[in-house]
Amino acid sequence: MTAAWGRGLATVTTDGVVLDTWFREFGLGEPTESGITDEYRAAERHDEVRGVDIRAVAITIDTAVAPADASDAYLRLHLLSGRLMQPRTIELDGIFGKLTNVAWTSLGPAPIDSIEELRWRVRRNGGTLVVHGVDKFPRMTDYVIPSGVRIADASRVRLGAHLASGTTVMHEGFVNFNAGTLGTSMVEGRISAGVVVGDGSDIGGGASTQGTLSGGGKEMISIGERCLVGAEAGIGISLGDECVVEAGLYVTAGTLVAVHSGTGVEVVKARQLSGAGGLLYRRNSQTGAVEALPRSAKWDGLNTQLHQND
């Protein structure tokens, strides 16, 4: 099934640029009721303070083809954050070109070129305008809050992130769009665009995962189940289940790794180990060599009490 639908409200500038679209209702397949209903038409208005129009939107899209416009793109991001689709299963090619850079304020999205005038209008009436960010993607929690999650700092999770029930994102954790968790997970580091994290895994404080948005990268990074990426560590390869990356160690695809097995030691590039499970990646404290050893002990895993988020 590649069809999806949504009904909601778009914020549109006077020259017709869509700043955002919030979908109150959305789903897969065809809608049971097509078109814009009276309920949504009654919500249409002109916002004098921000100088924008609020317009009703009802669309049906094909998630297997690239986004056609901004509202189409926003529906895809809602589907991901609403957990109706998982990362990498929806076409997002060209999404940056469909979205405009927006000032995300305490009054809602506003055009960047009029932000100083908006600030003045608010101030002269005794108020204060808070600008949460200037970006093409808003905070997820302003549009979708999935059940069973805990997010310490909402500004660090973009709309389009996929957070499975039981996920906890701590203050310095970050989750990009088209990325996220597939089960109970602790996120204290960075989950970059396109990266998925398996059930029972922990991305340690300051840890990083390489995405595919910069540098022409094509590798889609996956972290398996019951893995631990230590504090300040990082990976540019996929991890299979039951893997540990030592704190402070960054393993890129080209890192030379000494693989220890029952038959001896073989030095390979880390990309040859991508997806392998049951490995401990560490740096030998005496020689400085990066090593991959079979796990000799099972990680105790996550604290279940910390992830009872309902």
Side-chain angles (χ1 to χ4, degrees):
M1 181 182 297
T2 61
W5 62 275
R7 275 192 293 270
L9 300 172
T11 307
V12 186
T13 66
T14 54
D15 55 358
V17 176
V18 175
L19 298 181
D20 83 328
T21 305
W22 168 66
F23 288 97
R24 181 184 175 213
E25 303 172 272
F26 55 94
L28 298 178
E30 298 293 334
T32 56
E33 183 179 8
S34 61
I36 300 172
T37 64
D38 292 341
E39 180 182 24
Y40 288 94
R41 291 198 185 281
E44 292 186 316
R45 70 188 189 281
H46 178 70
D47 187 321
E48 292 287 352
V49 177
R50 287 183 290 155
V52 297
D53 293 320
I54 307 301
R55 297 180 186 172
V57 173
I59 60 173
T60 301
I61 65 171
D62 183 349
T63 61
V65 301
D69 53 32
S71 291
D72 181 333
Y74 267 90
L75 179 52
R76 293 164 197 259
L77 299 176
H78 278 68
L79 292 169
L80 286 164
S81 291
R83 299 197 295 234
L84 295 183
M85 299 189 74
Q86 291 188 357
R88 309 180 188 175
T89 66
I90 187 169
E91 181 58 65
L92 297 175
D93 188 44
I95 190 170
F96 281 94
K98 303 303 180 184
L99 302 177
T100 190
N101 216 20
V102 175
W104 304 102
T105 80
S106 50
L107 296 179
I112 295 175
D113 57 5
S114 64
I115 195 65
E116 295 307 325
E117 177 61 27
L118 173 57
R119 197 191 309 275
W120 165 241
R121 286 197 293 268
V122 173
R123 286 274 184 173
R124 75 186 181 194
N125 289 320
T128 300
L129 182 73
V130 178
V131 180
H132 300 292
V134 178
D135 194 6
K136 292 193 173 189
F137 291 78
R139 298 180 298 190
M140 181 187 75
T141 54
D142 290 341
Y143 295 78
V144 179
I145 300 181
S147 62
V149 304
R150 187 152 53 98
I151 303 170
D153 184 348
S155 65
R156 298 185 63 82
V157 180
R158 273 174 150 184
L159 181 62
H162 180 285
L163 300 183
S165 181
T167 296
T168 297
V169 183
M170 295 303 291
H171 296 79
E172 295 305 316
F174 172 82
V175 187
N176 212 334
F177 75 100
N178 197 32
T181 62
L182 304 181
T184 300
S185 297
M186 173 63 80
V187 183
E188 300 176 274
R190 178 183 179 87
I191 301 179
S192 300
V195 176
V196 292
V197 178
D199 183 48
S201 291
D202 185 332
I203 310 301
S208 179
T209 54
Q210 286 187 355
T212 58
L213 292 180
S214 301
K218 300 296 184 182
E219 175 76 13
M220 287 290 193
I221 303 299
S222 299
I223 296 175
E225 298 184 355
R226 300 172 302 280
C227 289
L228 171 62
V229 181
E232 305 297 338
I235 56 169
I237 62 171
S238 292
L239 301 179
D241 297 342
E242 305 283 1
C243 284
V244 171
V245 181
E246 178 186 70
L249 175 63
Y250 208 118
V251 181
T252 66
T255 300
L256 293 177
V257 181
V259 182
H260 293 250
S261 65
T263 58
V265 179
E266 179 185 9
V267 177
V268 301
K269 288 189 175 181
R271 65 170 56 92
Q272 296 177 240
L273 302 174
S274 185
L279 293 176
L280 165 63
Y281 291 90
R282 73 177 190 186
R283 187 177 296 279
N284 189 298
S285 60
Q286 293 181 317
T287 67
V290 177
E291 301 174 331
L293 294 82
R295 293 284 306 284
S296 58
K298 186 176 181 180
W299 178 46
D300 289 337
L302 301 173
N303 183 330
T304 56
Q305 291 183 346
L306 290 177
H307 298 274
Q308 293 175 354
N309 296 332
D310 290 329

